[in-house]
Amino acid sequence: MQRTAHHDFARCKRLAAFVLLCVLPAWARAAEVHVPAVVEAGQAFSIPVQGSGQATFYLVGPDHVVKRTVSLGSDLQIQSSDVRTAGRYQVILCDASSSCTSATFEVKAAQPAHLSFFLHPSRVPVSTRDSIDAAAFVFDQYFNLILTPAAVDFRITPASGAGFSREVSTRRGVAWMRMDSTPHEGRVQVTAALDNVEEARVIQQVAAEACGLRMKAVASGSMVTLETDPVRDCSGNALPDGTVVSFTKVDKAGKSTVDTPIKKGIARVQFGVDGRAQISVACGVVLGNEVVVNGKL
Amino acid sequence: MKWALVGFLTVATALLVAYAWLQSGGLKQHAMFSSATPEEAVHALMSEIQAHNYQQAYASLDRSSDTDLASFIRDVAGSDGSLRTYSSLQTAEVSPLHANGDQALVRVRMNWSSAVGSLDDVRDLRVLRDGPVWRVVWPKPAFSKVPLQVVSVNYLSWDVIGRNTSQKWGAQDVDTPKVRITSMNAISRPGRVVILGEVENEDTVPAYLNVTATLLKADGSAIDEEGSFDLISHVLLPKQVSPYRIDFPGVRMDAVKSVRMDARALLVPASADPVIAVMDQKVSKDGLNRNVLEGELVNQSGRPVNIAQVLAAYYDNSGKVIWVSDGYVDQALMPQVSVPFAVDIPDDIAERMKSYRVIVNHYSRSSS
């Protein structure tokens, strides 16, 4: 019950403040208030106020309201903490006779101080077109999105080879670009930079599908050992250890399959052979060569 | 008069006891435990196994059985954390194959219930007459012995460091693995629609994968949504391909306009060990004249695999997946030891299939 009453009281307070803020500007007839049209976020400034006596001052911002009693005839100081959030502000001044005057001004974002940088994906196959997306959001020190155009420099530093950069202008606070992955696997660092602000991310470029998959067979009695050449993609990058390679043998005894992971760059397996055997190798959806073993090679 | 009352009470008590014995299944139990015929002898043996009275079951065997108690218990009750150790015998169907005066051949189809469904074990048992009773000759189980050795295991394993919750918005994260459904086929089976195909982990990291399908009507509304449950290999290593099958019981194909597929992958820690070879696969008929794909599994690593599941995909002439079936192996896969497996193939699929591919799911108590 007490809780409900407390909530009702708070709701009434908010309603009263809302009515006050809506109605007061309509009474704005008295002394005029001259405010700058645009102020930078976090920048303290003063508003000259004419007249004499006491007045009530209201500052209505996007995320807070300030109310204080001020003396007319002197400058009204606006603290930097009162204008940290970018957006439209309204100043209302009401004198003792309840005669009010108002003015509006804009607070724009300050200088770039933070970059929120999204780089996608975190892993990408090499030599893939338009596979890397980079987006940088530019904020000031109070985390206001800076809407005025600014040039963001995307610097790309591959693990091997020369780095390069691309300058992109922000639109509505965001700069983005799309690029191809390079032909070599490894870490690629992408740094978004604007003035003295930098934010770095890392992409792992990984080998693409296997290419030219080949195996060779070494017979020993009734056993045959199959071993792939180093498994690489079409750009010559080694597929990572742990990648599964499938060997399939068909002979008189039936069909035998072994899915074995690549170890130290190659995949190896041993089969017993019963007469003529046809053996094939595959990695994912990529087929390799076939060998035929006739009990002996 | 006094003795007449005593006699009446005695007779009445005996009748009531006999009635209670009949009501409680005593007659049936007597038949099960008696061994007056070869079938009864096998029934009696199965009853003892069902009741976990392994010592009594072993004692009832014919002396010519070339097995010891420990091997017999290991054969019927399983060992090494295998699926059989988590199973219990539900039913045993006994059918005589051949009999003469002194010996008979009896087929028993044991149905074991387990957490993953029922498992059939069909055996042909020799039964010998021993005076007034028949006794089962239990064949010596063939347990392979592996010579003591050190197996070096140096396959890759992957660990994942999760994202720190205190990191700010836009902080770098690791993407989930990229997987791709490489084929999908919708087929109509009696009383259900089945979606099947294959999915590949295209990434360079392991993936925990689940495939779901939603059947849609002509107006775009959903009929039903189901997942692949255990008819898929959920953990896929890089470039590994798994078949999947999703059943929609009670749905008719003519009600389905389209299918929406969804393959969701998570980045998980995994190990490339163990490697399980699937050897000597061939299609044949089992003891019940059903089409089966049979072969042998060989655990090539140094650690036991407690439970293995075989997943088989069947392809037609054009390379399209036309069926996916599975079967659990009720023995543990001990290192370097061949363990037989068999999975059912529907008759119509056996006629149409051109080739097949088998993969193995494995569960180990000590694995990550």
Side-chain angles (χ1 to χ4, degrees):
Chain A
M1 194 63 160
Q2 196 176 8
R3 190 175 173 82
T4 308
H6 176 74
H7 281 177
D8 287 348
F9 179 68
R11 199 178 299 146
C12 285
K13 262 174 63 177
R14 281 202 298 272
L15 187 65
F18 176 75
V19 169
L20 182 72
L21 295 174
C22 291
V23 172
L24 285 179
W27 293 341
R29 300 277 184 276
E32 286 191 0
V33 180
H34 298 284
V35 294
V38 178
V39 176
E40 191 172 276
Q43 200 74 265
F45 65 102
S46 59
I47 303 171
V49 183
Q50 294 172 345
S52 60
Q54 300 282 304
T56 307
F57 165 75
Y58 298 91
L59 176 66
V60 184
D63 66 344
H64 72 293
V65 176
V66 175
K67 176 190 175 186
R68 62 174 186 257
T69 304
V70 296
S71 301
L72 298 176
S74 60
D75 285 356
L76 192 59
Q77 295 299 322
I78 305 294
Q79 306 295 322
S80 66
S81 59
D82 290 335
V83 285
R84 281 181 177 172
T85 305
R88 196 171 176 78
Y89 284 70
Q90 188 168 29
V91 173
I92 303 164
L93 198 62
C94 297
D95 61 17
S97 61
S98 295
S99 158
C100 296
T101 185
S102 76
T104 59
F105 65 95
E106 191 81 22
V107 172
K108 67 168 190 178
Q111 295 306 304
H114 298 283
L115 280 173
S116 283
F117 184 26
F118 294 85
L119 189 65
H120 180 82
S122 60
R123 293 177 307 281
V124 65
V126 296
S127 302
T128 309
R129 196 162 182 75
D130 288 338
S131 55
I132 300 172
D133 290 311
F137 294 75
V138 184
F139 296 98
D140 67 6
Q141 60 174 315
Y142 308 110
F143 289 96
N144 296 303
L145 188 65
I146 299 174
L147 299 175
T148 51
V152 176
D153 194 19
F154 291 103
R155 297 180 204 138
I156 296 97
T157 316
S160 60
F164 58 97
S165 68
R166 197 180 291 176
E167 194 174 275
V168 179
S169 180
T170 60
R171 287 165 63 181
R172 308 285 303 164
V174 190
W176 70 93
M177 69 153 192
R178 180 170 281 179
M179 65 178 191
D180 307 341
S181 56
T182 60
H184 299 291
E185 65 176 339
R187 278 166 53 102
V188 174
Q189 180 168 311
V190 182
T191 307
L194 175 61
D195 300 336
N196 296 324
V197 186
E198 283 189 2
E199 196 74 30
R201 298 283 182 269
V202 172
I203 271 188
Q204 196 70 30
Q205 290 197 149
V206 296
E209 293 288 350
C211 193
L213 179 62
R214 288 197 63 80
M215 66 172 164
K216 54 181 179 287
V218 178
S220 168
S222 61
M223 303 297 287
V224 60
T225 303
L226 299 143
E227 186 177 296
T228 62
D229 292 342
V231 185
R232 298 182 183 282
D233 66 8
C234 293
S235 303
N237 300 296
L239 264 69
D241 280 6
T243 303
V244 170
V245 173
S246 301
F247 293 91
T248 304
K249 178 203 71 167
V250 181
D251 64 4
K252 242 179 5 188
K255 180 175 171 180
S256 300
T257 51
V258 180
D259 287 355
T260 189
I262 293 173
K263 195 160 60 171
K264 293 183 179 170
I266 60 171
R268 184 185 291 114
V269 74
Q270 201 171 42
F271 282 119
V273 180
D274 185 8
R276 186 179 187 277
Q278 193 171 350
I279 305 171
S280 59
V281 64
C283 180
V285 292
V286 176
L287 295 175
N289 64 324
E290 278 190 5
V291 294
V292 176
V293 179
N294 292 309
K296 57 181 182 180
L297 287 174
Chain B
M1 187 63 184
K2 182 179 145 189
W3 288 111
L5 182 63
V6 171
F8 172 75
L9 287 175
T10 306
V11 170
T13 306
L15 284 173
L16 287 171
V17 169
Y19 179 72
W21 182 73
L22 284 172
Q23 283 292 97
S24 64
L27 199 60
K28 191 179 168 189
Q29 200 175 14
H30 175 72
M32 286 169 71
F33 283 96
S34 71
S35 302
T37 65
E39 293 95 309
E40 282 181 358
V42 176
H43 269 303
L45 178 65
M46 291 299 128
S47 299
E48 297 289 6
I49 292 173
Q50 196 168 19
H52 297 262
N53 295 328
Y54 300 120
Q55 287 198 341
Q56 285 185 32
Y58 180 73
S60 73
L61 298 178
D62 191 80
R63 289 181 184 179
S64 63
S65 299
D66 188 18
T67 184
D68 57 278
L69 176 62
S71 300
F72 173 73
I73 294 175
R74 189 176 166 192
D75 193 16
V76 295
S79 62
D80 304 307
S82 68
L83 187 57
R84 179 64 68 85
T85 61
Y86 300 106
S87 308
S88 59
L89 181 61
Q90 283 299 296
T91 57
E93 292 173 24
V94 175
S95 52
L97 296 177
H98 169 75
N100 61 29
D102 292 325
Q103 62 176 320
L105 190 64
V106 176
R107 173 165 293 167
V108 58
R109 181 180 177 179
M110 291 177 274
N111 184 261
W112 297 81
S113 70
S114 75
V116 294
S118 65
L119 303 162
D120 280 345
D121 185 0
V122 180
R123 298 196 188 199
D124 292 344
L125 299 174
R126 204 156 66 93
V127 190
L128 299 179
R129 180 190 285 278
D130 181 13
V133 297
W134 290 76
R135 292 181 185 275
V136 173
V137 179
W138 195 263
K140 185 179 183 180
F143 298 122
S144 301
K145 288 183 178 169
V146 185
L148 294 179
Q149 59 188 296
V150 176
V151 178
S152 64
V153 177
N154 54 359
Y155 285 117
L156 198 67
S157 67
W158 293 262
D159 291 327
V160 179
I161 300 172
R163 186 176 171 169
N164 189 337
T165 50
S166 65
Q167 287 174 319
K168 65 178 183 177
W169 183 67
Q172 183 149 26
D173 206 354
V174 182
D175 292 329
T176 55
K178 192 179 173 195
V179 296
R180 185 166 67 100
I181 293 174
T182 53
S183 69
M184 190 278 273
N185 189 14
I187 62 172
S188 180
R189 301 294 295 175
R192 61 187 162 152
V193 167
V194 177
I195 307 294
L196 37 81
E198 288 181 310
V199 60
E200 185 199 0
N201 176 9
E202 290 188 310
D203 217 316
T204 54
V205 292
Y208 182 88
L209 175 72
N210 206 12
V211 176
T212 56
T214 308
L215 302 184
L216 302 173
K217 293 180 191 169
D219 63 2
S221 60
I223 300 170
D224 194 7
E225 180 181 325
E226 296 285 350
S228 48
F229 193 51
D230 68 340
L231 281 163
I232 189 172
S233 179
H234 285 288
V235 177
L236 285 186
L237 298 182
K239 302 290 185 278
Q240 197 170 16
V241 179
S242 169
Y244 64 85
R245 191 181 100 196
I246 304 168
D247 290 0
F248 290 89
V251 179
R252 288 167 53 90
M253 184 63 102
D254 52 14
V256 180
K257 176 68 177 171
S258 60
V259 182
R260 187 169 59 221
M261 300 297 297
D262 188 16
R264 289 183 189 167
L266 295 172
L267 186 58
V268 289
S271 168
D273 187 58
V275 171
I276 299 172
V278 190
M279 310 302 285
D280 302 342
Q281 308 156 38
K282 52 181 169 265
V283 176
S284 58
K285 299 270 187 186
D286 68 359
L288 302 171
N289 206 32
R290 297 175 303 189
N291 289 301
V292 291
L293 172 61
E294 60 181 14
E296 291 184 339
L297 305 181
V298 181
N299 173 7
Q300 295 187 337
S301 76
R303 281 194 300 181
V305 169
N306 300 109
I307 297 173
Q309 181 201 16
V310 174
L311 272 173
Y314 307 94
Y315 308 88
D316 66 5
N317 282 328
S318 62
K320 188 195 284 185
V321 181
I322 54 172
W323 190 243
V324 173
S325 62
D326 79 318
Y328 282 87
V329 179
D330 63 1
Q331 296 179 52
L333 305 185
M334 301 309 285
Q336 319 294 329
V337 173
S338 295
V339 174
F341 74 88
V343 289
D344 293 342
I345 312 172
D347 290 343
D348 59 322
I349 300 295
E351 287 170 10
R352 288 166 50 213
M353 78 172 189
K354 177 72 177 172
S355 63
Y356 50 83
R357 196 175 73 85
V358 176
I359 66 165
V360 183
N361 273 332
H362 54 85
Y363 306 93
S364 298
R365 278 189 300 201
S366 55
S367 70
S368 57

